Amino acid sequence: MKFQLNGKQVELPELVDSVGKLLTHYQLQSRIAVVEVNKEIVMKEEYETKMLFNGDVVEIIHFVGGG
């Protein structure tokens, strides 16, 4: 599956077909993140049901702690 992720074209396995699986693929599932698909913010409770399709534009913002 090909889509734009944070401004870059990426190709991921077909099994990465939802926002939840995308976060798992990038090991972000346990982090605080904001996900936008085609300029619409996806609510956390929709991560597993929000499907991704070829050509989607996805933005992931995750927070990093530090001091």
Side-chain angles (χ1 to χ4, degrees), residues 5 11 26-28 32-33 37-38 42-44 46 56 65-66:
L5 177 62
E11 183 169 352
Y26 284 106
Q27 301 178 344
L28 296 172
I32 297 172
V37 177
N38 298 326
V42 180
M43 303 302 293
K44 186 174 183 175
E46 299 174 322
D56 280 348

Side-chain angles (χ1 to χ4, degrees), residues 13-65:
E14 291 294 322
L15 61 97
V16 182
D17 61 357
S18 70
V19 169
K21 291 177 183 176
L22 179 67
L23 292 174
T24 299
H25 181 81
Y26 284 106
Q27 301 178 344
L28 296 172
Q29 71 276 10
S30 61
R31 296 194 180 187
I32 297 172
V34 176
V35 180
E36 183 183 275
V37 177
N38 298 326
K39 299 189 178 196
E40 291 188 21
I41 293 176
V42 180
M43 303 302 293
K44 186 174 183 175
E45 54 271 8
E46 299 174 322
Y47 285 177
E48 298 305 322
T49 59
K50 178 65 176 176
M51 302 306 290
L52 297 173
F53 300 98
N54 277 320
D56 280 348
V57 177
V58 180
E59 298 286 335
I60 299 175
I61 299 169
H62 65 94
F63 300 94
V64 178

